Amino acid sequence: MAAPGRAAIPVHTLLFILLLLLPPPLRAAEPSEEPADTRGAAQARAHCVPAPITDVARLCVCDLLVAQCDVNCCCDPDCSPEEFSLFTACSVPVVTGDRHLCRQKAAVYSLDVGADPPERIFQLIDQVNPSIFCIHATNYKQALYLKSPEMPTPENFDDLLNEFGSAAFSAEPESWNTDTDAPDPPDANETQRYEYGVPVQTEDAFLRLPSPVVSSWCSDANPAGFLVNQATKCIRSVSVEKCESIQALNMLFYINSSILAVPKSSQMVNISVQSIVVQSLDGMRTLLKGADVLRLPMILDELCLNIVLGVSYHITYTDTGEIIEAAAAFVLGAITKEALSIQQSFQISFTQVDTKPVPLSGNPGYVVGLPVRAGFWPQGSGITQSTNKPSQLSILQSTSTQDCLAAQGARAPVLFGYNMISGCKLRITAAMKCQPLAQTLLDVLKGQNFPEYVASFGNSQAQDVLDWVPITHLHISEQSSCQIPVSFGIEVKWTKYGSLVNPQARIVNVTATLTTITLKQLPSGRERTIPVTSSVVFTDISSPAEPGYKAWPTINIKLPFDFFYPFV
Ligand SMILES: *[C@@H]1O[C@H](CO)[C@@H](O)[C@H](O)[C@H]1NC(C)=O
Ligand SMILES: *[C@@H]1O[C@H](CO)[C@@H](O)[C@H](O)[C@H]1NC(C)=O
Ligand SMILES: *[C@@H]1O[C@H](CO)[C@@H](O)[C@H](O)[C@H]1NC(C)=O
Ligand SMILES: *[C@@H]1O[C@H](CO)[C@@H](O)[C@H](O)[C@H]1NC(C)=O
């Protein structure tokens, strides 16, 4: 502090110098602090072999005479080479250590009778014990021994009493003090969600799903439970004269009360009319165009029309248990004067709103076989991806009929790395007009919503617009007034990106080439069939890796300005 910039030797340098100056035993202070038995364990971890406790080379069971050579006792340290040469055999040929160990040292003694004079051979070998189950590694030291319980003594009694001396023994930390305050009242906002089975509330009571409760007659007291998908059928008595006044035959009865978004909330969700199907007396059903229209029961020529035969509710909710949409699909029918009762069917289903992000196709590079991700770039925001079924880049899907006009709408996703070709046949008759035909074919080839951008990586984020490659459109055509498209080819150029060991596939350019031909007017009565094709090709344009040499490291010498202080 006194002379900053002068004596500023970094602290770790000081420590290092100190360490060098320390005598070796102090440097190795940590291991020597351990008790003897754990030192053995540490060694076992390092070498997978416990250190031998007994030195087998010094064990000798046949050494009976003190300071004298025992005959044929090959391990007797008192015997001289001359005495060994007179032995006939080794009475104890092998001396081993602890047989409870997985591996042990063994001292093997033998006589080399071929030598002149015969001599004793001594070998120290490692034996593996095959008859015991060996665990060679352990990394959980605490599990190796059981801690013996502390016995109460006059000295430790108070400590033990503090630790264990409550009415009930608990191993939980003291901070979990349970007998203080009562638990906090649950947050009012937290309870504002529907839970499974809770009746779906409406402004007057709850959403009713009529059902046969005691008999087969409809009872309107059955509440629809949240997330409980149900389907019921029941019977109602009817009569043509009174049909306009029977509430349960009126569409309005099923939709006029709004649903509460969450229980006890003031936020309402109107029940919209999703569709209306009208069933005629002979059972024919027709879907009414332009739903949203209320059709109330009305009497006409001894018939009563527009009475409710079936209602199907469809509720959409979020993962926080809030209802955000409710729709009802109706089946309306007619009754004659003779009818005394009708059967009504009711249904309710719940769908969670799709909050899942569009799945990735690799991380970071594309994985072969996963969809090529694509989207649009509306000005002023990130890329938007369609979450619809053929959500990504797609091509025309061949159908069994091969009919182009019937194939409209069927699309297959473009999968990374898979070259695909599909097609259909177009029958052209003299009556066909050029312009609508060209538009239809374009729709067949490109689909309704051909994307503008393709993600360069499998994990490109929608907000990183620069990570998305615009699709380049090329058009090959002939000069004429009537052109119809006959082929649509997508070429995806990609490179290997990143290290040689784990290269990642990255799309760098996508071109879509539309080829059109001139449609010649056919003489009337004649027809012609032309093939229409759609294809996708993946081209690897990575340049091959070339061997290179690392530049020699250069030394960048920079001495501190006070390096020679105090000498200069
Ligand atoms: C519930 O949430 C609203 C808005 O999120 C907040 O204004 C209100 O204070 C919250 N009420 C409670 C009891 O936390
Ligand atoms: C809904 O309609 C039924 C019959 O049409 C009527 O009794 C009920 O009061 C209406 N409810 C509301 C909230 O308008
Ligand atoms: C629900 O319906 C009522 C009455 O028809 C209407 O005033 C209100 O705007 C509707 N609410 C919504 C969110 O559509
Ligand atoms: C892709 O390649 C085509 C043809 O080589 C070229 O015209 C186009 O500009 C390229 N697109 C991009 C985004 O580089």
Side-chain angles (χ1 to χ4, degrees):
M1 279 292 137
R6 285 261 160 100
I9 301 172
V11 173
H12 61 264
T13 315
L14 267 179
L15 279 178
F16 178 70
I17 294 170
L18 269 178
L19 206 58
L20 284 180
L21 294 175
L22 284 177
L26 265 180
R27 250 187 273 160
E30 207 195 314
S32 64
E33 268 170 9
E34 285 180 8
D37 54 350
T38 56
R39 216 180 332 157
Q43 213 164 350
R45 230 172 299 141
H47 308 290
C48 300
V49 186
I53 294 163
T54 45
D55 183 359
V56 286
R58 288 163 173 268
L59 276 184
C60 198
V61 284
C62 48
D63 179 13
L64 304 173
L65 303 170
V66 181
Q68 277 187 46
C69 183
D70 292 86
V71 175
N72 283 352
C73 183
C74 296
C75 51
D76 191 345
D78 303 315
C79 300
S80 64
E82 289 79 19
E83 286 164 315
F84 280 135
S85 64
L86 303 174
F87 285 6
T88 55
C90 290
S91 61
V92 176
V94 183
V95 179
T96 56
D98 189 349
R99 287 179 184 277
H100 294 103
L101 294 180
C102 288
R103 283 159 158 266
Q104 68 224 357
K105 289 267 186 256
V108 180
Y109 299 95
S110 57
L111 289 175
D112 186 4
V113 287
D116 189 23
E119 49 183 46
R120 180 194 74 151
I121 300 168
F122 165 65
Q123 280 173 292
L124 198 60
I125 60 165
D126 255 324
Q127 271 190 342
V128 178
N129 192 342
S131 60
I132 61 174
F133 173 69
C134 296
I135 296 171
H136 289 279
T138 169
N139 58 4
Y140 185 46
K141 221 169 175 181
Q142 282 84 357
L144 294 178
Y145 9 72
L146 289 173
K147 205 172 138 195
S148 46
E150 228 175 320
M151 293 307 289
T153 62
E155 288 74 42
N156 68 6
F157 185 81
D158 286 341
D159 288 345
L160 290 177
L161 187 67
N162 280 343
E163 193 176 348
F164 301 111
S166 60
F169 175 78
S170 161
E172 279 152 15
E174 277 169 54
S175 55
W176 293 22
N177 214 339
T178 47
D179 54 4
T180 52
D181 315 10
D184 285 341
D187 188 353
N189 281 358
E190 252 173 57
T191 62
Q192 290 198 357
R193 56 178 296 165
Y194 280 110
E195 280 168 14
Y196 179 86
V198 169
V200 173
Q201 295 185 10
T202 59
E203 44 189 339
D204 49 353
F206 46 77
L207 187 65
R208 296 174 180 87
L209 199 70
S211 61
V213 174
V214 276
S215 61
S216 52
W217 298 97
C218 290
S219 154
D220 290 326
N222 178 42
F226 185 64
L227 298 190
V228 185
N229 291 343
Q230 288 185 78
T232 61
K233 276 193 173 122
C234 55
I235 292 171
R236 278 209 213 261
S237 62
V238 291
S239 76
V240 168
E241 296 80 41
K242 286 193 228 137
C243 85
E244 281 170 325
S245 60
I246 303 176
Q247 287 191 357
L249 301 183
N250 191 324
M251 257 178 81
L252 202 56
F253 179 69
Y254 298 98
I255 57 169
N256 72 348
S257 191
S258 300
I259 289 177
L260 306 190
V262 288
K264 300 190 188 78
S265 149
S266 57
Q267 200 187 336
M268 305 284 179
V269 176
N270 289 346
I271 304 176
S272 63
V273 178
Q274 189 176 23
S275 64
I276 299 177
V277 169
V278 174
Q279 181 173 324
S280 67
L281 277 176
D282 57 10
M284 276 280 290
R285 290 184 167 199
T286 7
L287 177 67
L288 281 193
K289 289 260 163 48
D292 273 338
V293 242
L294 274 181
R295 296 226 160 184
L296 302 181
M298 55 187 241
I299 304 173
L300 196 80
D301 282 348
E302 310 201 328
L303 288 180
C304 185
L305 305 180
N306 299 335
I307 64 162
V308 172
L309 296 180
V311 185
S312 176
Y313 288 109
H314 189 198
I315 313 282
T316 311
Y317 66 97
T318 66
D319 53 358
T320 56
E322 182 186 344
I323 291 176
I324 56 165
E325 229 177 275
F330 287 91
V331 178
L332 304 181
I335 48 167
T336 59
K337 256 192 143 57
E338 292 78 46
L340 298 175
S341 67
I342 54 160
Q343 190 187 54
Q344 288 182 314
S345 52
F346 300 95
Q347 207 175 320
I348 187 164
S349 61
F350 293 83
T351 315
Q352 187 169 347
V353 66
D354 192 10
T355 49
K356 271 181 274 169
V358 181
L360 301 182
S361 293
N363 193 5
Y366 274 99
V367 172
V368 171
L370 292 184
V372 171
R373 302 166 64 222
F376 298 89
W377 186 15
Q379 284 308 309
S381 77
I383 298 284
T384 56
Q385 291 181 74
S386 159
T387 46
N388 292 340
K389 199 68 206 266
S391 59
Q392 320 289 6
L393 197 61
S394 64
I395 70 166
L396 160 75
Q397 189 167 22
S398 299
T399 59
S400 56
T401 58
Q402 295 272 307
D403 181 353
C404 282
L405 300 179
Q408 217 167 347
R411 308 208 42 95
V414 170
L415 304 179
F416 185 84
Y418 287 5
N419 294 343
M420 294 191 278
I421 185 157
S422 60
C424 57
K425 290 203 173 73
L426 178 68
R427 222 184 48 177
I428 301 171
T429 59
M432 280 176 170
K433 294 270 179 298
C434 177
Q435 200 47 48
L437 185 62
Q439 188 56 47
T440 308
L441 275 179
L442 202 59
D443 284 348
V444 166
L445 287 171
K446 291 175 71 174
Q448 294 292 332
N449 241 350
F450 194 75
E452 297 168 341
Y453 285 81
V454 162
S456 58
F457 287 104
N459 71 349
S460 297
Q461 297 294 305
Q463 64 271 21
D464 304 335
V465 178
L466 292 182
D467 234 4
W468 293 70
V469 179
I471 298 177
T472 306
H473 286 274
L474 305 176
H475 190 181
I476 300 173
S477 66
E478 300 161 7
Q479 280 303 321
S480 80
S481 60
C482 179
Q483 298 272 316
I484 57 162
V486 287
S487 106
F488 187 61
I490 301 171
E491 185 182 17
V492 180
K493 292 183 180 136
W494 62 281
T495 58
K496 299 192 190 84
Y497 183 83
S499 81
L500 262 186
V501 183
N502 185 18
Q504 301 292 311
R506 173 199 189 177
I507 292 178
V508 289
N509 187 312
V510 181
T511 52
T513 308
L514 186 71
T515 309
T516 55
I517 58 162
T518 304
L519 181 69
K520 293 191 194 74
Q521 189 61 46
L522 291 174
S524 68
R526 295 274 297 278
E527 52 177 66
R528 215 180 122 198
T529 303
I530 56 167
V532 171
T533 58
S534 171
S535 65
V536 58
V537 175
F538 286 84
T539 317
D540 180 0
I541 57 162
S542 329
S543 46
E546 284 170 8
Y549 298 97
K550 271 189 195 159
W552 283 101
T554 55
I555 299 167
N556 189 7
I557 308 169
K558 225 187 223 167
L559 293 175
F561 74 95
D562 58 350
F563 187 75
F564 295 106
Y565 175 88
F567 304 108
V568 289

